[in-house]
Amino acid sequence: MKKLLPYLAALLFSWLWVPSLLAQQKTISGKVTDNKGNPIPNATVTVEKTNRGTMTDAAGQFSLEVPENSNLVISYTGFRNQVIPAAKLASGSQVTLVEDVAKLDEVVVTGLATSLKRRNLANAVVSISSNELNGVAPAQTFDAALNGKIPGAYINANTGAPGGGLSVKLRGVTSVYGNTQPLYVVDGVFVDNTATSAGINTVTGAASTGATSTQDNPSSRIADIRAEDIENVEILKGASAAAIYGSKAAGGVIIITTKRGKQGRTRVNISQDLGVISARKLLGVRKFDADKAASLSSDPATSEALRQQFIAAEAAGKIYDYEKEVYGNKGFARNTTLSLNGGSEKTGFFFSASQKAEDGIVKRTGYRNTSLRLNLDHKLTDNIKIGIATNYINSSADRSLTGNDNAGVTLGIALSSTPGFAELHPDENGKYPNNTFAASNPLQTVALMRNNESVNRFLTGLTLDATLQKSDRSTTRFIGRGGFDFYQLETNALFPAELQFQTVNKGTSMQGNTQNLNTNFILSLVNQFRAGEQLNLTTSAGITQEKGDYNNLLNVATQVITDQSNVSQAGALSATQFRTKFQNSGFFIQEEALIRDGITVTGGVRFDQSSNNGDASKYYAYPKAGLSVNLTRLNVIKQGVVEDFKLRAAYGQANNTPAYGSKFTSMVVSNIQGYPGSLVNIQRGNPDIKPEKQTELETGFDIAFLGGKLGLSATYYNKKIYDFLMLAGLPASSGFSTQWTNAGDLQNQGVEIGINAKPVSNRKVNWNTSVNFWLNRSKVTKLTVPSTPLGSFGYVLGTYQIEEGKSATQLVGLNGQGVGVLGDAEPDFQMNSYNEVTFFNKLSLRFLLHWKKGGENVNLTSMQNDFGGTSADYDDVTNDKGLPDGVYRIMQVGSTAEVFVKDASYFRVREIALYYNFGTIPSIKFVKGLRVGASLNNYITITNYKAYDPEVSNFGTGFSSGIDVLPYPASKRATFHISIDF
Amino acid sequence: MKHNMLLKIALLLLGSVMFLGACKKEYGNLNSPTVEDFLKDATQSQLNNLVSGTESGMRNEITLYLDDVATIGREGYRFSGSEPRYVTDLLGANEAQLTNNAFYTTNPWAARYRVIKNCDVLEASANRSTQITAEQKKGYSGFAKTIRAYQLLLALNLTYQNGIRVDVSDPNNLGPIVSYDNGLAAIISLLDAGKTDLTGATVSFPLSSGFSGFNDAAGLIKFNRALAARVALYQKNYTASLSNLNESFFDLNGDLNTGVTHEYSTGSGDQLNGMFIPQNQNGEIRPAHPSFATDIVPGDDRISKATLRTSTASLQGLSSNRDVWVYTSSTASLPMIRNEELILIYAESKIQQNALPDAIVALNVIRGKHNMTPYAGGVTQSALLNELLYQRRYSLFYEGHRWIDLRRYDRTNELPKDRTDDDIWIQFPLPNTEG
């Protein structure tokens, strides 16, 4: 049996196992500290070019048996590696690690089971540390915490409603109406990010039929994840890095690693945040006088009545600012986190329990999230490690009723036509008057309605890492990772009968129940082989499988019995069920070669089949390859001012599977008087639908100067999408309106430039900064279907339109002469800067700046307010016709959409915070650390965009972001933080 | 040895899962049947599902269709706090035009052709089914053809001289857009073919109460001929309209409301009548055009079709103090065609044939039923045409006629413009996807 082992290894990995020679041994011990003298626990100490090593204990101490003439490599996350000849190291000596500003030694995930140091990486992989993610001015949800932090991304908050809902597009749009969102992987588990509607379309009628629509603005389920638990986030932005994730990787991959237990004394931390949430901006309301009130009606008698109504209201002091009453509330936010972190030599654990509760800026809205996490790592033997990450989350969001509608029921639509002299307040019996200016009374709507999403979610990720064989030259490991993501989502929307707009339905109660189970596994063998002094090979191969099973059941009850929400207490009940299932299976092989410690060559391929493809049995291949050449390591450039200089290029392919059900021409249910009816769906099936294929070529360089105190990185990418998936418009006379089609090719090209620096570093002040610049340009290079407007409200108001030779995100509309290009949702460029300035090692100022230059929105918020005669600048006269601006702008409806397609540039101080670290408190022995701080999130925005916020999307996370229709206004937050270590 | 064991286990695991993982997975459609399920060998109950789906689908966007016709025909307005284009584009405010990709153009068109597609599936499925008799097949195909013709007519009513597509059975290879006149001719021949199929057919499918009295082969033929009478009238073929009336449910002395209607209910998967908006609402309302009350003859009981509001509604320079009150509950019936229209088709055909006394008899039936005195105006073709158009305007208020009637006589310029820069459109553009 023993003889078979090298044979098998050779069979699998095509090279032989060569045993190493034994050398003279000696024992060395020492202490590892940072430059301030603080011990670094859990630092890795290894003998260079071998697998032998240990870790430092809680006091930073280590002891290791090493060969006489070897070098020791000491490394720890966030610090530069130190290489010290064993001979130079006297027992008990101190090793000081310096901070890794340029992040050269950061370890980055490059395969499904392998990783590389950043200095050898062929891709520009963004990584976000827990401090950057959550350590400045924490956002409400994880997805919001990513905003402004990923160079190369266009992140957009769809709505300000509590509970989140963001769209993330990495390196441009990858699909037109296909999935454009990245894949999220938490501790090896592919998590679900579906946005499930509560059936709001039943009351809003935003889309013409059905209980749900793309305009219902639910939250994205990735929002459930707690940012506090996260150690690190890595973003693989395109196929060149993400190909190995196969058919789910076309939108990029966001790899989330949660905190793990560290050896040593159990550290207990309690953190408490208290904050205030308020609207980022209110638009203000029109200042009426008697004449303006009278001008609301063209009918002389009504006009006079309005004049009298205004005069009476003014005399009684009853002129209100309803916008402020509805959106101007202050919400209280609290967040408590308890975490325990510790471990022995064999077992490490991280436990956290946390709860946050936040009110929204609209009364009776808010967000609550309770989470429990237990991460365990255990060494079964020296060769077998198991890890388990478990997370239970309970979240609940009350999101109110905002956005587009065709029934006049949302808060925004109702406010848009309600002047301040209307009386909407309840009488002494608590009865709300009908709003005579709109279909609903927004104060009554806020007071009586409910739109809640609540989630119970379990996430479990398992890792088994078994070293199958190990020698000084070769290590073979079996790495199995997998897990499941299960959640149950309940949506609960209630509109009682006494609401002004419930005169027909007499009370509507909608209860939705969704269960989703995602499972996935990756089983792989990884061989690390030291073929010689100058060649290291890492081979991995394995199999993967991902499965998803989503089941949404929505009951819509109308004619509801007074004060009841139970759907059976109703005169009429309609049920809708929607299910999806998929299974992707694949296998992969990947080879990484490190030559002379300076050249890295990577190649890999993944084969995948998916039940969503037209041909479910067909395997698609996704290859990738990368090359990085480190000129300083190869001594082509002498180390000096330039510490490290690397050139890199990478290429990869990834696919995006078609949406579930693309293949079928369904017959949907359409009943009449109790007779069950089948009616052809408006979407025509496409049995030939293929996945869209993406190829990405990325190239760039990374330079570190001045001992790693200054890092510069530049990347260019060219991402081509072939056969992109589009829900194309069909000639409706065919009986069908849409069909999923492989509609053509498009291209995204872009540039990303980043600088990391430590401009000031002395005993008093330390300043770490990073500045990033990025831009993306897209172009539709081929279109095989007729070009039609999509994703908005047509030419009259400005719309997207896919057109050959044009930008994929162009906005077109009427321009006075016909239909022309009016703008583009793609920003000209974006920049961000993250800074941390520490004074005397105690006080630290952190801030994140974000500048989006260019990129247009379709601003229908202002249009609606003009149409309702209530916009704050309605009576200004800045147009050449000498008319009130509100009148002038409405006159443009139908002749030009230029007044709606508006530049949505902004400069934003996303996060700014001041923290003071007391360190240990001598008088209180058991307190090992104390930090206090204050932070502001999204407090300062400079923009010319005239609506609540330039970040908005009425159509949620899909392709067509930036359509602005009276959303829940975005909020800002001021928070006080205290954190105690025990 | 331990290492070897582990390796063996790992390889076994890899091998076995690779085998399992490579199995082909097809989940099928988990949410609904597919067209193919019906085309294979449909059972009678599947075919009946298609009939009900067709009847149900006919109601989709009918509200928007009626708002389109009634707004341009100045029967009323659709005031909406959330949708300006009802009062800008449809009324031609300022520079506004009807656009080829706006909801008012594309939605009604798509809804009609969706039903036509369903009729195609119904006919094809019935033809391929081995589980029904030849007479039953004729019943299904006669129904399908009749409904298809009706849907084409509604599409053509909006696009008028821009035409419609008639041959749409193959979605990959759509026939040409045909002119208004050819469109009407195609609709007539489709109705004729439907009548042929229905003759001697067995109707073994259930229809809603909107077809009560017309839910057998003979009844469906009457419905078919009523539609044919309307189309012949549009073709100015008055001989044909009169002969079609004879085979329909036309009854000069009958109930004006006898006919075929869309029905609504609160049942699961059913629809409510979107034309119903309670009286005296705000924000989302359907007020009558002010001329409805100013033009009506005193005493005409049809004034009740637009009731006085407690407060005048105003929007963007438009005002009205009456709500449209034709559909008085959320489950009120919505007529497709009824006897009152047939009597008026009879009167109009007689006027055109210069059989003026016959026309006056018919007009007096209508007048009598609406609390009006017998006709005492001029006995000329043109005077009687004016009288006829008045009766059609008030009898068929908000049933989708006035604009089309005035257009037939090239008299849309008689419609009032409420704001100086408003326009009166005569037709909708073809949806831009029709290329």
Side-chain angles (χ1 to χ4, degrees):
Chain A
M1 194 62 216
K2 193 146 199 159
K3 281 177 201 157
L4 205 61
L5 180 72
Y7 174 74
L8 282 173
L11 188 81
L12 264 172
F13 304 113
S14 319
W15 64 74
L16 291 168
W17 169 44
V18 185
S20 69
L21 297 169
L22 288 173
Q24 201 72 33
Q25 305 287 312
K26 83 170 198 179
T27 304
I28 284 179
S29 63
K31 184 184 181 185
V32 180
T33 66
D34 65 14
N35 59 349
K36 291 154 199 159
N38 303 318
I40 299 177
N42 298 303
T44 311
V45 183
T46 51
V47 181
E48 196 180 25
K49 293 169 183 168
T50 73
N51 289 319
R52 195 175 306 168
T54 185
M55 275 173 113
T56 57
D57 63 14
Q61 302 280 0
F62 69 92
S63 158
L64 184 68
E65 201 170 84
V66 299
E68 198 88 50
N69 293 320
S70 60
N71 290 332
L72 278 188
V73 183
I74 296 141
S75 58
Y76 185 66
T77 316
F79 291 86
R80 298 291 307 278
N81 286 6
Q82 277 266 31
V83 184
I84 301 168
K88 276 197 180 175
L89 211 59
S91 260
S93 59
Q94 187 171 323
V95 180
T96 308
L97 295 183
V98 294
E99 229 178 301
D100 186 16
V101 177
K103 297 187 172 174
L104 294 172
D105 287 318
E106 188 179 32
V107 174
V108 175
V109 174
T110 51
L112 292 173
T114 56
S115 54
L116 265 183
K117 276 183 196 158
R118 188 176 287 280
R119 73 161 79 245
N120 296 322
L121 212 57
N123 288 99
V125 175
V126 178
S127 87
I128 299 171
S129 68
S130 68
N131 239 356
E132 288 168 82
L133 184 71
N134 200 49
V136 185
Q140 186 176 59
T141 54
F142 163 72
D143 47 356
L146 289 175
N147 210 339
K149 294 172 187 169
I150 308 175
Y154 179 37
I155 301 182
N156 192 62
N158 302 329
T159 163
L166 276 88
S167 83
V168 177
K169 286 173 189 145
L170 300 171
R171 289 184 173 168
V173 293
T174 48
S175 185
V176 182
Y177 289 83
N179 174 37
T180 60
Q181 300 297 301
L183 165 69
Y184 291 86
V185 180
V186 180
D187 295 322
V189 182
F190 289 25
V191 299
D192 182 81
N193 189 29
T194 309
T196 301
S197 164
I200 296 300
N201 197 58
T202 307
V203 288
T204 63
S208 52
T209 49
T212 63
S213 87
T214 53
Q215 302 180 61
D216 293 350
N217 259 314
S219 55
S220 321
R221 284 276 61 87
I222 195 66
D224 294 330
I225 309 293
R226 291 287 292 204
E228 290 90 338
D229 288 345
I230 293 172
E231 175 74 33
N232 174 276
V233 179
E234 276 175 25
I235 294 112
L236 311 180
K237 287 180 281 198
S240 64
I244 213 74
Y245 282 88
S247 49
K248 302 208 96 189
V253 184
I254 296 189
I255 301 167
I256 297 161
T257 310
T258 60
K259 292 175 178 166
R260 312 298 295 203
K262 286 173 183 161
Q263 200 179 322
R265 192 184 64 82
T266 301
R267 290 164 290 270
V268 180
N269 175 275
I270 295 174
S271 299
Q272 177 69 49
D273 300 344
L274 296 170
V276 178
I277 295 168
S278 49
R280 245 175 248 179
K281 176 166 126 189
L282 293 180
L283 303 177
V285 293
R286 185 178 176 193
K287 300 281 173 287
F288 279 91
D289 57 24
D291 287 343
K292 288 172 190 162
S295 73
L296 288 175
S297 175
S298 58
D299 173 59
T302 312
S303 181
E304 184 53 31
L306 284 165
R307 178 189 300 276
Q308 294 310 320
Q309 187 182 352
F310 174 82
I311 291 167
E314 192 181 42
K318 290 187 169 174
I319 304 289
Y320 303 102
D321 182 343
Y322 285 115
E323 188 201 27
K324 205 168 178 180
E325 281 189 46
V326 173
Y327 296 142
N329 300 289
K330 295 240 184 301
F332 175 70
R334 65 175 171 83
N335 183 21
T336 313
T337 310
L338 162 74
S339 72
L340 277 76
N341 185 335
S344 66
E345 214 172 289
K346 277 191 167 292
T347 306
F349 74 95
F350 172 81
F351 169 78
S352 80
S354 48
Q355 186 181 65
K356 69 166 66 178
E358 305 191 347
D359 301 326
I361 56 171
V362 176
K363 281 179 191 159
R364 303 184 71 241
T365 64
Y367 179 68
R368 174 187 281 264
N369 178 309
T370 309
S371 161
L372 288 173
R373 171 175 290 279
L374 179 62
N375 289 356
L376 279 176
D377 295 286
H378 182 68
K379 278 184 196 161
L380 222 55
T381 70
D382 279 350
N383 292 325
I384 305 174
K385 284 188 282 189
I386 53 170
I388 178 166
T390 60
N391 192 190
Y392 165 73
I393 303 153
N394 173 278
S395 77
S396 166
D398 284 296
R399 295 171 68 83
S400 196
L401 186 64
T402 50
N404 184 37
D405 94 71
N406 284 319
V409 301
T410 66
L411 301 181
I413 297 282
L415 286 170
S416 73
S417 62
T418 306
F421 60 88
E423 181 55 82
L424 303 183
H425 296 87
D427 63 17
E428 57 277 11
N429 300 320
K431 193 176 179 306
Y432 286 86
N434 274 354
N435 184 356
T436 55
F437 295 91
S440 65
N441 176 343
L443 299 184
Q444 183 192 37
T445 308
V446 167
L448 300 179
M449 70 151 288
R450 178 165 72 219
N451 175 17
N452 178 270
E453 293 178 2
S454 71
V455 177
N456 280 301
R457 188 169 196 166
F458 292 93
L459 278 162
T460 297
L462 288 163
T463 311
L464 170 68
D465 184 336
T467 305
L468 304 179
Q469 68 82 17
K470 186 174 183 177
S471 74
D472 276 3
R473 300 193 64 176
S474 160
T475 312
T476 308
R477 289 153 71 206
F478 166 79
I479 299 173
R481 303 197 79 174
F484 70 86
D485 168 19
F486 173 79
Y487 67 78
Q488 184 170 23
L489 163 70
E490 273 180 42
T491 57
N492 182 338
L494 178 67
F495 300 91
E498 62 258 51
L499 283 167
Q500 184 181 340
F501 58 86
Q502 284 290 319
T503 44
V504 176
N505 281 335
K506 301 189 173 63
T508 303
S509 178
M510 292 174 276
Q511 303 214 3
N513 204 322
T514 305
Q515 285 191 52
N516 184 73
L517 176 65
N518 277 19
T519 57
N520 72 290
F521 64 76
I522 300 161
L523 303 177
S524 56
L525 287 171
V526 179
N527 185 283
Q528 281 170 304
F529 181 66
R530 182 171 300 280
E533 278 294 294
Q534 306 295 354
L535 180 62
N536 275 296
L537 296 168
T538 306
T539 310
S540 50
I543 58 166
T544 64
Q545 188 176 85
E546 298 109 38
K547 278 174 142 178
D549 185 348
Y550 172 95
N551 186 352
N552 168 243
L553 185 62
L554 179 65
N555 285 303
V556 177
T558 52
Q559 322 287 326
V560 174
I561 288 168
T562 308
D563 293 337
Q564 296 299 302
S565 60
N566 188 321
V567 290
S568 53
Q569 295 290 320
L573 183 60
S574 266
T576 331
Q577 184 172 21
F578 183 69
R579 293 181 285 183
T580 66
K581 266 188 185 182
F582 71 88
Q583 177 177 313
N584 300 338
S585 310
F587 53 95
F588 70 95
I589 181 155
Q590 175 169 311
E591 180 72 48
E592 287 164 307
L594 179 59
I595 304 160
R596 291 178 58 204
D597 208 22
I599 300 173
T600 312
V601 184
T602 313
V605 61
R606 171 161 173 167
F607 298 89
D608 247 5
Q609 57 176 202
S610 170
S611 59
N612 281 351
N613 289 336
D615 180 356
S617 60
K618 184 175 174 187
Y619 274 99
Y620 290 87
Y622 313 118
K624 72 163 190 175
L627 171 69
S628 84
V629 180
N630 194 313
L631 299 175
T632 41
R633 291 255 158 162
L634 294 170
N635 279 324
V636 177
I637 293 176
K638 273 266 174 304
Q639 260 192 2
V641 179
V642 177
E643 153 101 3
D644 200 274
F645 189 165
K646 179 183 76 179
L647 297 172
R648 54 184 161 76
Y651 171 85
Q653 287 183 8
N655 273 17
N656 201 354
T657 52
Y660 178 81
S662 305
K663 297 185 268 193
F664 310 115
T665 301
S666 298
M667 299 293 289
V668 300
V669 73
S670 182
N671 302 337
I672 185 161
Q673 280 191 339
Y675 295 117
S678 294
L679 182 62
V680 283
N681 197 4
I682 58 166
Q683 182 186 314
R684 186 178 178 207
N686 183 351
D688 302 322
I689 195 83
K690 309 182 280 190
E692 66 184 12
K693 187 174 95 175
Q694 179 191 118
T695 69
E696 188 191 46
L697 176 68
E698 171 189 313
T699 176
F701 62 84
D702 303 313
I703 314 179
F705 301 97
L706 306 167
K709 282 191 178 172
L710 175 65
L712 169 69
S713 160
T715 305
Y716 160 81
Y717 61 84
N718 187 353
K719 193 155 105 168
K720 292 181 177 170
I721 294 112
Y722 298 98
D723 300 321
F724 67 78
L725 290 166
M726 179 163 125
L727 192 55
L730 295 181
S733 57
S734 65
F736 304 102
S737 298
T738 58
Q739 182 178 36
W740 283 104
T741 325
N742 295 105
D745 303 337
L746 65 90
Q747 185 179 39
N748 282 288
Q749 293 184 79
V751 173
E752 293 158 11
I753 298 167
I755 296 170
N756 292 304
K758 192 159 191 172
V760 182
S761 173
N762 58 42
R763 279 168 167 271
K764 292 175 183 167
V765 184
N766 269 295
W767 177 20
N768 276 316
T769 182
S770 69
V771 180
N772 290 289
F773 168 95
W774 67 98
L775 59 81
N776 182 76
R777 295 288 179 270
S778 69
K779 190 176 168 185
V780 178
T781 50
K782 186 175 122 191
L783 187 68
T784 58
V785 297
S787 175
T788 51
L790 286 163
S792 181
F793 302 103
Y795 294 135
V796 174
L797 303 176
T799 179
Y800 286 91
Q801 177 157 2
I802 301 293
E803 211 174 329
E804 190 166 304
K806 301 285 183 61
S807 163
T809 48
Q810 66 170 348
L811 289 162
V812 302
L814 301 180
N815 62 5
Q817 280 90 49
V819 175
V821 178
L822 302 177
D824 195 318
E826 185 77 63
D828 297 343
F829 65 82
Q830 293 186 77
M831 281 185 84
N832 75 0
S833 176
Y834 174 78
N835 293 275
E836 179 170 10
V837 190
T838 311
F839 303 93
F840 301 103
N841 206 13
K842 292 281 186 198
L843 181 68
S844 74
L845 170 70
R846 301 171 193 166
F847 55 94
L848 174 70
L849 311 174
H850 183 194
W851 180 21
K852 170 180 169 260
K853 170 74 176 68
E856 275 80 30
N857 280 2
V858 178
N859 179 0
L860 303 179
T861 293
S862 299
M863 187 275 286
Q864 288 287 358
N865 289 337
D866 284 338
F867 183 62
T870 62
S871 39
D873 64 347
Y874 192 94
D875 301 300
D876 294 356
V877 181
T878 59
N879 59 80
D880 49 14
K881 287 206 169 163
L883 293 164
D885 284 353
V887 175
Y888 175 79
R889 287 186 296 246
I890 285 300
M891 277 176 66
Q892 309 305 307
V893 176
S895 54
T896 173
E898 277 161 10
V899 286
F900 311 123
V901 178
K902 286 294 178 192
D903 183 11
S905 299
Y906 59 82
F907 174 81
R908 183 166 277 169
V909 181
R910 282 212 175 266
E911 302 183 9
I912 183 164
L914 201 58
Y915 288 89
Y916 190 83
N917 188 351
F918 288 92
T920 52
I921 311 249
S923 52
I924 317 168
K925 255 198 155 171
F926 57 88
V927 173
K928 299 287 192 291
L930 171 66
R931 288 175 304 282
V932 294
S935 70
L936 300 174
N937 180 298
N938 285 316
Y939 243 75
I940 304 159
T941 303
I942 301 167
T943 180
N944 289 324
Y945 184 69
K946 279 169 58 179
Y948 289 105
D949 198 80
E951 271 189 65
V952 65
S953 177
N954 179 61
F955 290 93
T957 54
F959 169 80
S960 57
S961 56
I963 311 292
D964 187 345
V965 192
L966 295 162
Y968 190 110
S971 58
K972 58 186 179 183
R973 52 180 58 223
T975 314
F976 171 76
H977 310 268
I978 181 164
S979 172
I980 309 167
D981 298 325
F982 299 97
Chain B
M1 189 58 206
K2 204 160 83 186
H3 294 163
N4 304 340
M5 282 297 291
L6 277 172
L7 189 64
K8 258 174 74 180
I9 293 164
L11 284 171
L12 250 166
L13 207 64
L14 271 178
S16 60
V17 184
M18 239 163 181
F19 174 73
L20 288 173
C23 287
K24 174 178 163 171
K25 269 279 179 193
E26 282 264 24
Y27 290 109
N29 191 335
L30 299 167
N31 298 309
S32 51
T34 62
V35 169
E36 292 74 25
D37 296 338
F38 289 87
L39 292 174
K40 261 180 266 163
D41 182 16
T43 61
Q44 191 181 327
S45 106
Q46 278 180 306
L47 294 169
N48 293 353
N49 293 150
L50 291 171
V51 169
S52 296
T54 302
E55 198 195 342
S56 172
M58 281 201 283
R59 302 170 302 175
N60 292 345
E61 303 290 356
I62 207 70
T63 304
L64 185 50
Y65 172 82
L66 290 179
D67 278 328
D68 275 353
V69 174
T71 305
I72 299 179
R74 272 38 175 202
E75 293 183 80
Y77 307 117
R78 178 71 174 85
F79 285 177
S80 166
S82 51
E83 181 48 76
R85 290 172 285 181
Y86 286 116
V87 295
T88 55
D89 298 17
L90 288 179
L91 295 173
N94 303 306
E95 307 293 313
Q97 301 276 330
L98 292 179
T99 55
N100 64 8
N101 70 331
F103 69 106
Y104 48 72
T105 302
T106 56
N107 292 12
W109 173 275
R112 301 291 64 82
Y113 278 102
R114 184 183 182 189
V115 174
I116 290 166
K117 175 53 61 185
N118 222 52
C119 292
D120 286 351
V121 175
L122 171 58
E123 241 188 300
S125 303
N127 273 333
R128 292 190 197 180
S129 175
T130 59
Q131 311 191 26
I132 53 171
T133 64
E135 289 73 26
Q136 284 175 319
K137 275 183 195 181
K138 284 176 70 180
Y140 288 111
S141 64
F143 173 79
K145 288 191 172 92
T146 304
I147 299 302
R148 194 188 292 146
Y150 177 53
Q151 299 298 296
L152 285 173
L153 180 65
L154 295 189
L156 188 59
N157 280 344
L158 294 185
T159 53
Y160 191 45
Q161 299 292 356
N162 286 322
I164 50 165
R165 221 185 281 277
V166 174
D167 174 14
V168 292
S169 53
D170 179 2
N172 294 324
N173 201 2
L174 296 172
I177 298 278
V178 303
S179 69
Y180 180 69
D181 290 340
N182 290 343
L184 288 179
I187 291 165
I188 273 290
S189 61
L190 199 50
L191 284 169
D192 290 346
K195 179 190 155 195
T196 308
D197 282 354
L198 286 167
T199 308
T202 303
V203 170
S204 52
F205 47 85
L207 291 164
S208 80
S209 63
F211 279 85
S212 64
F214 301 96
N215 53 11
D216 56 10
L220 286 174
I221 290 172
K222 284 183 179 168
F223 169 55
N224 175 300
R225 287 300 98 188
L227 292 173
R230 184 195 285 177
V231 178
L233 184 78
Y234 287 4
Q235 287 180 309
K236 302 185 170 35
N237 184 347
Y238 304 108
T239 323
S241 61
L242 287 170
S243 66
N244 289 333
L245 281 180
N246 278 336
E247 296 177 62
S248 76
F249 54 88
F250 165 62
D251 180 357
L252 205 48
N253 301 309
D255 187 335
L256 298 183
N257 287 324
T258 299
V260 179
T261 57
H262 296 298
E263 293 299 319
Y264 297 88
S265 88
T266 56
S268 187
D270 207 337
Q271 297 184 17
L272 294 181
N273 187 342
M275 291 305 292
F276 168 67
I277 295 179
Q279 289 154 302
N280 297 310
Q281 296 292 298
N282 300 296
E284 296 291 327
I285 56 174
R286 188 172 285 114
H289 194 276
S291 63
F292 175 86
T294 52
D295 293 353
I296 201 165
V297 172
D300 188 335
D301 72 356
R302 288 168 291 191
I303 190 72
S304 66
K305 291 187 180 188
T307 53
L308 268 174
R309 288 176 57 85
T310 49
S311 68
T312 297
S314 298
L315 188 71
Q316 292 291 321
L318 305 168
S319 287
S320 167
N321 63 350
R322 283 180 185 269
D323 283 321
V324 172
W325 196 239
V326 176
Y327 306 99
T328 55
S329 86
S330 62
T331 52
S333 306
L334 197 153
M336 290 183 236
I337 191 159
R338 60 190 178 93
N339 193 33
E340 190 161 7
E341 182 186 348
L342 299 186
I343 293 170
L344 288 163
I345 291 173
Y346 173 82
E348 185 174 346
S349 303
K350 289 291 184 186
I351 293 169
Q352 292 292 351
Q353 291 183 336
N354 221 10
L356 303 183
D358 287 351
I360 291 169
V361 168
L363 287 168
N364 279 338
V365 168
I366 300 293
R367 291 176 68 97
K369 299 248 183 187
H370 293 299
N371 196 32
M372 293 177 81
T373 53
Y375 181 71
V379 185
T380 63
Q381 266 189 326
S382 79
L384 281 165
L385 266 181
N386 284 341
E387 167 67 11
L388 175 92
L389 287 173
Y390 172 91
Q391 297 302 341
R392 282 187 68 96
R393 174 182 179 187
Y394 286 97
S395 281
L396 305 175
F397 181 64
Y398 262 89
E399 292 178 37
H401 292 279
R402 187 184 184 206
W403 177 51
I404 296 159
D405 292 341
L406 291 174
R407 189 172 67 190
R408 289 194 286 125
Y409 288 100
D410 204 11
R411 288 167 69 163
T412 52
N413 57 356
E414 292 173 13
L415 288 168
K417 293 183 192 174
D418 307 303
R419 299 168 297 195
T420 45
D421 289 329
D422 283 0
D423 296 295
I424 313 283
W425 309 121
I426 64 151
Q427 62 195 12
F428 282 79
L430 287 177
N432 75 328
T433 49
E434 299 298 333

